[in-house]
Amino acid sequence: RSDRELYGQHREDHMNTLSMYGHGLTSPLQREGRDFKSASGPDLVRNCLQNLLGTVAAPPNGESGGEVPWDHTFGSRLSLLRHSQLGTTTDALARFYVESAIRAKEPRVLISEVRVIDDPSATTRYIRVQYKLISSNNPSNQVVLSQDPIAVEL
């Protein structure tokens, strides 16, 4: 019997949605039972966004740098704003750095809004990103959807 016969159309639709957004390890790495914690679907995308924005990208002047040695462009440039005077210019740069990083490296989301929120009790700003998940597969999201099992001859 097929999965559709056993579990119904709802399960098949749910599995296609999860596979469209991928399945993988979460960051930071955490143990879950005998393996590392993993996530699928929207939870994985949220974790990837947090990882992307928390990773330091190379500065825009072409110098080498960045935390990911094999892709200096991965991450955001938010670290360039550390120790900057807080104000409208810094807020605009923070929004720009967040939007640029997401548009360049996370094709599974469409940005709805990026807001910089002031915390009056501290010299801290928070960035709230609202986004929508894409509704159909995109070749650039590097998630392979397969209808048939893959067979490999040895």
Side-chain angles (χ1 to χ4, degrees):
R1 287 174 144 183
S2 71
D3 279 350
R4 179 182 273 180
E5 291 172 335
L6 291 173
Y7 303 108
Q9 181 66 36
H10 174 73
R11 183 178 190 290
E12 185 175 297
D13 291 343
H14 179 69
M15 293 307 290
N16 284 339
T17 300
L18 291 180
S19 64
M20 182 171 69
Y21 302 122
H23 181 84
L25 297 176
T26 59
S27 177
L29 290 175
Q30 299 172 352
R31 296 293 293 185
E32 186 175 71
R34 298 176 65 191
D35 204 351
F36 288 106
K37 185 175 180 181
S38 63
S40 296
D43 292 335
L44 178 65
V45 174
R46 183 181 319 106
N47 187 264
C48 289
L49 283 171
Q50 292 169 338
N51 188 31
L52 174 69
L53 297 177
T55 302
V56 176
N61 58 9
E63 292 180 20
S64 64
E67 287 185 88
V68 181
W70 56 89
D71 185 358
H72 299 292
T73 63
F74 182 84
S76 73
R77 295 186 173 124
L78 288 171
S79 63
L80 297 175
L81 300 178
R82 284 193 188 118
H83 309 296
S84 297
Q85 184 175 358
L86 300 179
T88 56
T89 303
T90 307
D91 292 353
L93 278 171
R95 282 192 300 274
F96 174 75
Y97 290 155
V98 167
E99 290 174 5
S100 297
I102 293 173
R103 284 195 177 103
K105 297 293 181 180
E106 187 49 86
R108 297 173 292 183
V109 301
L110 301 171
I111 302 169
S112 302
E113 180 182 25
V114 177
R115 284 191 301 149
V116 179
I117 302 167
D118 188 19
D119 181 358
S121 66
T123 56
T124 303
R125 300 274 167 109
Y126 296 95
I127 300 172
R128 179 176 302 250
V129 180
Q130 291 181 324
Y131 60 90
K132 295 177 184 175
L133 295 172
I134 60 171
S135 58
S136 61
N137 194 26
N138 179 342
S140 66
N141 71 8
Q142 299 178 359
V143 174
V144 178
L145 297 178
S146 176
Q147 299 300 325
D148 301 315
I150 297 171
V152 178
E153 280 188 39
L154 299 177

